[in-house]
Amino acid sequence: MKKIVLLILMVIFTFPAPGKAAEVAQIKPHELKQLIDKKSKFILIDSRDSGKYSQGHIEGAVNIHFDPSGDPNARQMILMALPIDNLIIIYGDAEDEKAAEGLALELYDMGCDMDSLKILSGGIAQWKKQGFTLITAGN
């Protein structure tokens, strides 16, 4: 009986509960720029709404809006199509990294390895502050 209880406790404390994962690692804007310049293999997700995405986004970013109050089913169908074995970098507005983190935790809950997830530190505001270019609807 003690062995069973010990085994159950080991399982509970070894695997984090869904949505309760460790903090998502961050990547600095210049590190992301290096990945882009080297044409490294990764997925870049803009978690802002489509209007903000159209006004300007980082080259190569796909728009998957994270709205915690909305129905997650459509978003999760899109997330399921992503190759979760790749590095996935997510960004939002500087003042709202919660959207990027929320999306990262959804991916984690869907089976993505936490080591494959990163959030752009400072979001798109920090990217612009560093002088890096954005793609707009006219580009």
Side-chain angles (χ1 to χ4, degrees):
M1 181 66 169
K2 288 181 183 180
K3 288 182 182 180
I4 293 174
V5 172
L6 182 60
L7 181 62
I8 291 171
L9 289 173
M10 286 175 53
V11 169
I12 290 171
F13 290 106
T14 302
F15 299 103
K20 302 295 183 196
E23 193 172 307
V24 182
Q26 295 197 352
I27 185 170
K28 295 181 189 296
H30 73 273
E31 294 171 324
L32 174 57
K33 179 73 167 109
Q34 289 174 344
L35 290 175
I36 292 170
D37 291 346
K38 290 179 184 176
K39 300 192 184 312
S40 299
K41 186 176 180 180
F42 66 96
I43 298 165
L44 183 59
I45 299 174
D46 184 321
S47 64
R48 302 171 306 146
D49 65 49
S50 60
K52 289 182 178 181
Y53 176 83
S54 295
Q55 291 173 0
H57 59 273
I58 299 172
E59 180 182 1
V62 295
N63 186 218
I64 304 175
H65 180 226
F66 181 80
D67 178 5
S69 64
D71 181 9
N73 291 331
R75 180 178 61 248
Q76 287 181 352
M77 292 298 288
I78 295 168
L79 294 176
M80 286 174 35
L82 295 175
I84 61 172
D85 55 335
N86 287 354
L87 172 62
I88 299 175
I89 302 169
I90 306 167
Y91 70 89
D93 292 321
E95 67 272 3
D96 188 14
E97 288 186 14
K98 291 182 190 238
E101 186 174 280
L103 204 52
L105 292 176
E106 272 190 27
L107 282 163
Y108 174 75
D109 288 345
M110 295 171 69
C112 190
D113 185 356
M114 189 58 80
D115 293 334
S116 298
L117 294 168
K118 295 197 185 297
I119 294 174
L120 179 61
S121 177
I124 198 161
Q126 189 62 33
W127 179 264
K128 290 190 287 189
K129 188 176 180 180
Q130 297 292 315
F132 300 134
T133 60
L134 294 176
I135 304 299
T136 59
N139 290 25

